[in-house]
Structures are given as C-alpha cells and as structure tokens.
Amino acid sequence: MRIAVLSDVHGNRVALEAVVEHLRRANPDVVVNLGDLVSGPFDPAGCADLLMSLGHETIAGNHERQLLESGTGASDAFARPRLTEAHFKWIAGLPATLTLADGEVFACHGSPAGGDLEYMLEDVRSGRATLAPEDAILGKLTGIGDARVVLCGHTHIPRVAYVRDVLVVNPGSVGMPAYSDDMPVAHVIESGAPHARYALLEKLSSGWSVDLRAVPYDFGLAARQAEQAGRYEVSYSLRTGRMPAE
C-alpha cells in the first residue's frame, strides 16, 4: 500500500498544482491531506476548487476551524471574503482526524492528544524548531488506538520520528515553507528551501518506508501573489525557505 501525504497548502495553488502533477507519477493508492488548506495570501478560492475536485481524504486544520470561527489572523482574513458558500460547506464537513489502512494509520493536523494547535514533533522553546524529547512526543500519542503510524502537519517541517514502535511522519508544507508565530512562545519555523513538500509512505514486508519529497515549482509567481496581498515576509519565505531577518 502506498499513501501520499500532503499538508499545509495554505491557498498556494501554484505549489499544489506542482505536487498534484508529481503525484500522478508516484501513483499512490490513497492521498491524505492534513489540513490548513486555503488560508494564505495566494488563491484561496482557486485552491479550494482544486482540492474539492481532487477528492483526497482530507481533514481540517486549525485554519479551517479559525475560518469557521471568524478568526482574525491575516491569512484567514485574506481567505474568508474570497471563499464561496460551497467552499465553507465543504470545510465545515471535514473531520478533525482520520484512520487509514484498517486502523494502522492515524492522521491528524497537530497531535492526537492536544488538538490542531499542538506541535507533535517540535520543541520551539529556544525560538527555533528542534526535535522534541521522546517522552514529550509519547505523551501526545494518546488516542491513536492500535495505529502504528501517525501522520501530522502544522509545523511545516518535514520530519520522521520513531517513538516506542510508532512511526510519526510530518510531510512538511505544500505551500508555505517558513513562518513565525508567537504561540506557545515567539519562534521561527524554517524548512530551509522553497520547494513544495509532501511524503510518500509504502507498506513493505519489513514495515513502512517514508520518502520525504521536495518539488520545485514557480516560487516567484507565488511570491508575487503574496506581495500583492501585502505579505512581504511570506514572499521572502517563498523564495528562500527562510524568514527575513528582523
């Protein structure tokens, strides 16, 4: 069985189209999208239309919840007036988690135990993302049932970790390679490259293999969209995979 995993598109249809083309060659059995779908300074409506047409297994991230709850963050505020009633109906119907492969794979946006805002694998107390201690990760796995693979997004950092016989995979972000946030503390997330990210998992006789993939696309076009929306820090991140120095 081959599972492709996408996350954190953030309305970047240009990046999404590149990943979709790449997926055609990968030919997975199932594609799962881990949320944060359309909130970003790009093309929210066009991205929603494409995602809806693809019919991937899809869950809601924190930005889907914030869109529905009238959150005031810049990405949600940009997306909300550009989405249609049909888009909102689709978003409202998305589940928070999914199980796949007869319960062997559990998919969430943040963490199984802490919800859509909790970082599963990263510790950001230093101001930058590092791999969290094993015990800290283990405490976030409550609620996965008999799953041996957990798929998570939210931090935009491609990463694979193995914790007490559970494989945890973050595919990275399709559409936004870097960002800064003030919660839970002020920190910067940087993937280090502008590529659109996804992961391909394959079940082998010896266990699950994981291929973290970085797909080139027209970074400049997406960066110009962010500039037109007045999001110059996002534009910089799309060209570099890093946040601008303060």
Side-chain angles (χ1 to χ4, degrees), residues 157-183:
I157 299 291
R159 197 187 293 274
V160 179
Y162 193 60
V163 181
R164 309 284 176 87
D165 297 326
V166 176
L167 183 68
V168 186
V169 179
N170 187 323
S173 173
V174 170
M176 195 173 287
Y179 68 89
S180 61
D181 201 349
D182 293 329
M183 297 295 291

Side-chain angles (χ1 to χ4, degrees), residues 10-11 38-45 62-84 88 91 176 229-231 233:
H10 282 285
V38 299
S39 289
F42 309 106
D43 182 8
N62 58 291
H63 278 280
E64 281 67 63
R65 177 177 51 78
Q66 290 161 199
L67 279 171
L68 297 173
E69 295 176 353
S70 300
T72 59
S75 290
D76 298 325
F78 182 87
R80 190 176 293 109
R82 292 168 171 82
L83 298 174
T84 67
F88 279 107
I91 289 169
M176 195 173 287
R231 298 289 300 279
E233 79 289 357

Side-chain angles (χ1 to χ4, degrees), residues 130-153:
T130 59
L131 181 63
E134 184 179 50
D135 286 347
I137 298 171
L138 184 66
K140 300 172 185 177
L141 290 175
T142 303
I144 66 172
D146 296 326
R148 296 294 88 192
V149 178
V150 173
L151 309 176
C152 63

Side-chain angles (χ1 to χ4, degrees), residues 12 27-28 31 36 44 58 70 78-79 84 115 124 129 147 150 160 199-200 203 214 222:
N12 188 342
N27 194 30
V31 180
D36 279 9
T58 303
S70 300
F78 182 87
T84 67
V124 295
V150 173
V160 179
L200 185 66
K203 189 175 183 181

Side-chain angles (χ1 to χ4, degrees), residues 13-14 28 55 88 102 111 120 140 156-157 176 183 220 222 242:
R13 178 164 177 155
V14 182
F88 279 107
D102 297 323
S111 84
M120 181 74 199
K140 300 172 185 177
H156 301 204
I157 299 291
M176 195 173 287
M183 297 295 291
R242 301 178 183 274

Side-chain angles (χ1 to χ4, degrees), residues 42-127:
F42 309 106
D43 182 8
C47 193
D49 288 340
L50 179 54
L51 288 168
M52 292 168 69
S53 73
L54 292 169
H56 295 160
E57 297 281 358
T58 303
I59 62 177
N62 58 291
H63 278 280
E64 281 67 63
R65 177 177 51 78
Q66 290 161 199
L67 279 171
L68 297 173
E69 295 176 353
S70 300
T72 59
S75 290
D76 298 325
F78 182 87
R80 190 176 293 109
R82 292 168 171 82
L83 298 174
T84 67
E85 183 177 345
H87 295 147
F88 279 107
K89 183 177 180 180
W90 171 65
I91 289 169
L94 297 174
T97 63
L98 283 173
T99 55
L100 306 163
D102 297 323
E104 189 171 350
V105 178
F106 182 94
C108 60
H109 181 72
S111 84
D116 61 25
L117 283 174
E118 184 168 72
Y119 287 0
M120 181 74 199
L121 296 176
E122 280 72 34
D123 185 325
V124 295
R125 289 175 294 179
S126 68

